[in-house]
Amino acid sequence: LPRNQKPKMLKHKSKDVLTQLSDIDYLREKVERERAVRNGAHKLAETVASEILYLEALKAMHIANQRVAHFSASLQNAKLLAQSKRFEGCSSSKTSPRKEVKDNSNGSTSSSSSYFGQLQLTNIQIPVNYSRAFIDEAIKRHQKKLPNTRLAVFISAKLMHDKQIIELLDTELKCIPPNSHSLDFDQIIKFDQVPHDFTMELDLWCL
């Protein structure tokens, strides 16, 4: 985002991450926010002179693009679900009785509850095996006293439930020289609301 523009705080806060997947207003604000981040990162990449800042801008743009795509898909699903519920409401009888499920522990009306926990990922280590062509290129560049080819890498972590992405986080960007034999990410990736039947997808990206 531009320096004089602060990111908008989300007005709609749902009770849990699964409820957020059906909250149309929340998802619409998330899409708009990530689009603003993507546009700001694109402007930064076009004007910045520093290599590391340029790579950071590309990384931010890439992550924002992924989030826009995922939140847009969730928004579309939420709209279809809302339309389906309205259709069912119109077709059902207005005089049909509604049943309430009583919780035997306190007698109050209850709904299907979800249990959430916390998940932390840290100390991710990935071995690196360079191709012969990459090693030869690095040797030639060293002999000609040219800057060595580096790998700018980061990891994105997708927390998923029922084939839908709940949250997408990423690690810091690391520049790895050719003589490194492993990619080490010691930054903690923390998910605060994790359903018991979650799936996790880790992606390694190289710029």
Side-chain angles (χ1 to χ4, degrees):
L1 292 174
R3 293 182 179 179
N4 58 350
Q5 181 179 353
K6 295 182 179 180
K8 296 180 180 179
M9 299 299 294
L10 296 178
K11 298 178 182 178
H12 303 272
K13 294 184 178 180
S14 301
K15 293 182 179 181
D16 57 62
V17 293
L18 298 184
T19 306
Q20 291 173 357
L21 294 179
S22 60
D23 190 331
I24 294 178
D25 293 330
Y26 172 85
L27 292 172
R28 185 179 291 114
E29 289 185 17
K30 289 288 288 184
V31 171
E32 293 175 355
R33 178 185 175 90
E34 294 302 329
R35 283 176 177 168
V37 173
R38 181 185 60 188
N39 295 338
H42 183 264
K43 292 179 181 179
L44 178 62
E46 289 182 334
T47 57
V48 72
S50 171
E51 178 190 15
I52 187 63
L53 290 180
Y54 174 74
L55 292 174
E56 289 286 357
L58 291 183
K59 171 178 174 286
M61 191 164 52
H62 177 76
I63 292 297
N65 262 332
Q66 287 193 75
R67 287 174 176 160
V68 167
H70 300 322
F71 287 130
S72 296
S74 297
L75 177 60
Q76 185 65 23
N77 291 336
K79 289 180 179 180
L80 293 176
L81 180 62
Q83 291 176 358
S84 176
K85 288 183 178 180
R86 285 196 297 267
F87 178 78
E88 291 176 358
C90 294
S91 61
S92 62
S93 173
K94 295 182 179 180
T95 58
S96 59
R98 295 184 178 180
K99 295 182 179 181
E100 291 185 349
V101 179
K102 295 293 183 177
D103 188 349
N104 294 330
S105 60
N106 52 17
S108 60
T109 302
S110 65
S111 59
S112 58
S113 59
S114 300
Y115 297 93
F116 299 94
Q118 287 188 346
L119 175 65
Q120 292 186 359
L121 302 177
T122 186
N123 295 328
I124 301 175
Q125 294 182 342
I126 303 174
V128 176
N129 293 319
Y130 295 102
S131 65
R132 186 71 254 177
F134 185 87
I135 296 175
D136 292 341
E137 179 189 356
I139 294 175
K140 291 179 181 179
R141 296 182 68 87
H142 178 72
Q143 292 174 350
K144 295 180 181 180
K145 298 182 179 180
L146 296 175
N148 286 330
T149 302
R150 298 184 302 172
L151 295 177
V153 296
F154 67 94
I155 289 178
S156 64
K158 299 176 185 177
L159 178 66
M160 307 177 68
H161 173 267
D162 195 21
K163 297 182 180 181
Q164 280 190 287
I165 294 178
I166 301 175
E167 193 171 1
L168 191 155
L169 301 178
D170 56 288
T171 65
E172 75 276 22
L173 182 70
K174 290 210 168 186
C175 294
I176 310 299
N179 58 351
S180 299
H181 297 287
S182 66
L183 305 177
D184 300 325
F185 299 91
D186 52 6
Q187 178 187 2
I188 297 177
I189 304 177
K190 182 180 178 182
F191 295 94
D192 289 324
Q193 295 191 48
V194 181
H196 71 280
D197 53 349
F198 74 95
T199 56
M200 176 68 63
E201 180 179 322
L202 298 179
D203 295 319
L204 177 64
W205 300 94
C206 180
L207 301 179

